[in-house]
Amino acid sequence: MSETAQAPTAAVNPNPTSWLQNLGIAIEVVCPALALTVVILRTYIRLDTKSFGWDDGLILSAMALSIALAAGSIKVMKELYIGIHYYDVPMPFDPTEGLIWIYVVGAVYQPILTLVKQSVLVFLLRFSGIKAGVRYVVWATIVFNTVLMVAIFITVIVQCIPIEINWHPLVPGYCIQQFTFGVAAASLTIMTDIVAVALPFYIFLGLKINKNRKIALIGVFMLGVLVTVVSIVRLYFLAQNFHDTSPDKNFSLGFCVSSIECNLAILTASAPALWPLIRRCMPRFKSTRGRSYYGHHKYGGASHAQQGYIRTTDGADSGIGLKDMSGRRVHTEVRSARDSDEEILTGTGIMRTTKFTVSTEDSQSRATPIHNFDDRTTHSKISSNGSL
């Protein structure tokens, strides 16, 4: 009597997981959490210094979409078994829900990056001393980014007709060349990333401020280069996903690069706005010479507590001996290229340098001696020469 040996059948886990998928989910949670923390701090210091602007509103919008991107990405990873070996995927496998979430994630991705870049560009426009040519370039970039965002968004929405083909591939219809579109959109995004990094670098390079402060400022904005690097890495994984025909191609974290890119962009765009908060929490970073610039002074009766004050230079000789002018009636005329309080980078504690000269005119001093200072009028003319 013979017995037929049968191999034991392993039970299939209906909800498989792996260390790689758990790592991917952690990335999708930690990256938005870090970005959200920085955005909350940025919003707090901007509201506290009464300098909340359009650039802050754009960052808040990008942050809201980034949270939606993270939630959708986690859903995709679970529904399509991203980070799971193909032989651990339970059968039968219905990808419909996962493909729907991929469609949502794809629609949200581009607006996040565009809103962050627009925030940086609007931040630059808050300078009153930017040269006209640079200002035109900034505005042209803003317009181009907006048009590009709308065009890519509409294309993503209607890339397949009917739209249902995106999650039901067997439905009769038509789709564009998705790989070609993806590469073109990613390439244009990288190009605008480079412009968004180059413009602040060019503008801040011309600031007449302390050398160490200038290096720190440029260094913070140059962190945006990391976003461009991540964008290039994402483009690589995009191409790999379209051309990889191996059954185990989903055992990868390439899908998480989009979340890293978007949240890193929010972090680097918000970092400069945290400088006043850092100075407040760490007084050793606040120089004694800069203390008066953050006090509650008034010039000509108009309070400038909201926007900060004009700093002339970083040198030791930058102050004006006001006590030497006591007893005189002084008439001061301030001339600037633009009538604006934005003589500084609002809310950052970074001052724009204004170079000025003071001259006195006394028509009576040559004729007769003046013994009563109350009858003497001094005219000081201050002309701004701090355009960027």
Side-chain angles (χ1 to χ4, degrees):
M1 182 176 178
S2 62
E3 294 182 0
T4 304
Q6 294 182 353
T9 302
V12 177
N13 184 358
N15 296 303
T17 186
S18 70
W19 67 269
L20 190 63
Q21 186 183 78
N22 290 335
L23 178 59
I25 292 175
I27 291 173
E28 297 291 347
V29 172
V30 172
C31 288
L34 290 175
L36 179 61
T37 301
V38 172
V39 169
I40 290 174
L41 293 174
R42 169 185 177 145
T43 304
Y44 162 75
I45 195 63
R46 286 296 180 88
L47 292 174
D48 186 64
T49 57
K50 297 181 176 62
S51 57
F52 191 90
W54 282 103
D55 53 330
D56 304 296
L58 290 168
I59 280 291
L60 287 173
S61 300
M63 188 68 249
L65 291 178
S66 180
I67 294 174
L69 176 71
S73 297
I74 293 174
K75 192 68 176 176
V76 169
M77 295 183 72
K78 297 302 292 184
E79 294 296 331
L80 296 183
Y81 302 100
I82 304 296
I84 304 294
H85 287 293
Y86 74 96
Y87 47 78
D88 289 329
V89 176
M91 294 297 176
F93 168 46
D94 183 7
T96 301
E97 187 173 354
L99 293 175
I100 292 174
W101 281 106
I102 278 190
Y103 180 74
V104 174
V105 167
V108 169
Y109 165 76
Q110 183 65 33
I112 297 174
L113 294 178
T114 301
L115 288 171
V116 173
K117 282 179 279 194
Q118 302 294 63
S119 174
V120 173
L121 295 171
V122 171
F123 178 72
L124 297 178
L125 288 176
R126 297 177 75 169
F127 260 131
S128 66
I130 297 181
K131 292 180 180 179
V134 177
R135 187 172 291 273
Y136 293 149
V137 172
V138 173
W139 272 114
T141 307
I142 290 175
V143 172
F144 179 79
N145 282 339
T146 303
V147 172
L148 180 63
M149 179 188 70
V150 173
I152 292 178
F153 180 79
I154 293 176
T155 305
V156 169
I157 296 298
V158 298
Q159 60 183 311
C160 290
I161 301 295
I163 294 177
E164 186 183 2
I165 298 179
N166 288 283
W167 51 87
H168 285 142
L170 298 181
V171 172
Y174 171 79
C175 291
I176 64 174
Q177 295 293 327
Q178 294 177 325
F179 174 71
T180 302
F181 166 70
V183 171
S187 300
L188 289 172
T189 299
I190 293 171
M191 182 190 72
T192 54
D193 286 347
I194 294 173
V195 174
V197 171
L199 281 173
F201 179 81
Y202 172 77
I203 292 173
F204 297 147
L205 196 63
L207 287 177
K208 293 181 176 62
I209 59 177
N210 179 274
K211 182 179 179 181
N212 293 333
R213 187 174 299 172
K214 180 186 293 188
I215 292 174
L217 175 62
I218 293 175
V220 169
F221 272 89
M222 287 301 289
L223 290 175
V225 174
L226 296 177
V227 181
T228 305
V229 173
V230 176
S231 297
I232 296 173
V233 173
R234 177 183 175 273
L235 179 59
Y236 164 77
F237 279 111
L238 177 68
Q240 184 186 54
N241 183 65
F242 272 97
H243 293 98
D244 190 355
T245 57
S246 67
D248 214 22
K249 69 177 184 178
N250 279 347
F251 191 73
S252 167
L253 289 183
F255 179 75
C256 299
V257 177
S258 297
S259 181
I260 296 174
E261 178 187 11
C262 292
N263 290 287
L264 182 60
I266 294 173
L267 284 168
T268 55
S270 299
L274 299 182
W275 181 241
L277 186 61
I278 295 174
R279 292 169 67 94
R280 181 180 299 178
C281 297
M282 300 181 178
R284 66 177 179 273
F285 286 106
K286 184 184 295 186
S287 63
T288 56
R289 288 178 304 188
R291 193 172 299 165
S292 62
Y293 303 139
Y294 301 94
H296 296 281
H297 299 287
K298 292 185 178 180
Y299 292 86
S303 174
H304 290 253
Q306 177 175 349
Q307 305 295 352
Y309 311 105
I310 300 173
R311 182 173 187 169
T312 55
T313 66
D314 283 320
D317 299 330
S318 62
I320 300 177
L322 295 180
K323 64 180 180 180
D324 296 335
M325 302 170 67
S326 61
R328 298 182 181 182
R329 293 202 308 268
V330 179
H331 171 72
T332 303
E333 180 182 18
V334 180
R335 295 179 181 178
S336 178
R338 293 175 60 87
D339 184 15
S340 172
D341 287 333
E342 297 293 342
E343 297 293 340
I344 63 170
L345 277 176
T346 307
T348 66
I350 302 165
M351 304 297 178
R352 185 176 73 88
T353 300
T354 303
K355 181 180 179 181
F356 64 86
T357 57
V358 178
S359 60
T360 60
E361 297 176 1
D362 191 349
S363 58
Q364 298 179 356
S365 61
R366 296 181 180 179
T368 58
I370 302 299
H371 299 287
N372 186 0
F373 282 107
D374 290 336
D375 296 329
R376 181 174 180 177
T377 301
T378 302
H379 297 277
S380 300
K381 295 182 179 180
I382 303 177
S383 58
S384 174
N385 189 27
S387 60
L388 303 177

